Amino acid sequence: MRQKSNAPLRSDAQRNRERILEVALAELTLCADTPLSVIARKAGVGQGTLYRNFPSRESLVLEIYRHEMQQVADAATELIRTHEPDLALREWMDHLARFAMTKAGLATAIRQATSAPGSPAKPGHTPVTSAAELLLHANEKAGTIRPGVTPDDFVLAIAGLWQLDPHGDWQPRATRLLDLVMDGLRAGAPGGEET
């Protein structure tokens, strides 16, 4: 009997899918042209299993991108639940920096997956934008950031992340940049320091 496409995956099928995504992320970040057979072998699955989950290289690359973006977005909900709003925002910015470096490493694979005629479009940033909105709203309500900061303002403020070399010593530079952004968000906050 065939499983319906909207039915949940069995636990072993879900583990296989997650393992494929994990291995593909690592391999495609290193080399955009890594053969799918290598990804299947390193994930410990057959090529049939890989192709059942991801019928093409493009579908695999775009699912990695969506999956990583969703992981970053989901982290915001957990952080806001377990931390003070300003600490949640700052820690989430670190998650975003790691995503930016991963995305930079995957840039060639993403470009290849979306550039051919008839290729699927690159997914938008909606989950990340929604997560930023959640965190900014919680911080504005708590008085820990200046009022009126929009997700678009935030994305522009952190745009320097995408200028960092993912193969270099990006962590200290990202930390410094994000600390500067956080200081700017706090300036003029009702509960923060005036500068």
Side-chain angles (χ1 to χ4, degrees):
M1 179 190 286
R2 292 186 62 154
Q3 184 177 4
K4 291 182 180 179
S5 61
N6 61 352
L9 292 174
R10 296 183 331 250
S11 61
D12 60 332
Q14 183 62 37
R15 279 191 305 273
N16 284 342
R17 181 178 172 81
E18 289 170 6
R19 182 73 184 135
I20 292 166
L21 287 171
E22 178 184 320
V23 169
L25 171 63
E27 293 300 316
L28 293 171
T29 298
L30 293 173
C31 176
D33 297 321
T34 300
L36 295 182
S37 59
V38 170
I39 292 169
R41 183 174 42 76
K42 288 188 174 186
V45 301
Q47 284 186 297
T49 298
L50 186 141
Y51 283 109
R52 245 188 325 279
N53 283 280
F54 306 102
S56 67
R57 172 180 288 280
E58 292 79 14
S59 66
L60 176 59
V61 169
L62 293 176
E63 184 57 27
I64 292 167
Y65 184 68
R66 277 188 211 92
H67 179 75
E68 291 299 299
M69 201 172 2
Q70 192 61 54
Q71 296 289 96
V72 171
D74 291 347
T77 305
E78 179 62 19
L79 289 167
I80 204 72
R81 190 180 66 72
T82 58
H83 293 68
E84 292 298 318
D86 59 333
L87 298 176
L89 176 59
R90 183 59 189 86
E91 189 167 327
W92 184 73
M93 291 162 73
D94 288 334
H95 283 269
L96 197 55
R98 286 189 295 277
F99 171 69
M101 295 303 101
T102 300
K103 181 181 174 291
L106 278 175
T108 301
I110 292 168
R111 197 169 30 259
Q112 289 172 352
T114 59
S115 64
S119 294
K122 184 171 118 181
H125 294 100
T126 304
V128 171
T129 303
S130 297
E133 187 172 28
L134 170 76
L135 288 160
L136 293 169
H137 177 74
N139 275 275
E140 187 172 333
K141 188 174 175 185
T144 52
I145 65 169
R146 67 185 326 126
V149 178
T150 68
D152 288 341
D153 296 334
F154 177 78
V155 169
L156 284 173
I158 62 163
L161 285 175
W162 282 267
Q163 302 302 313
L164 299 177
D165 178 3
H167 305 294
D169 192 18
W170 62 266
Q171 291 97 338
R173 295 188 74 198
T175 297
R176 185 167 185 262
L177 170 70
L178 296 176
D179 285 345
L180 288 168
V181 169
M182 198 67 199
D183 289 346
L185 292 170
R186 286 183 178 123
E193 296 178 21
E194 294 291 327
T195 57

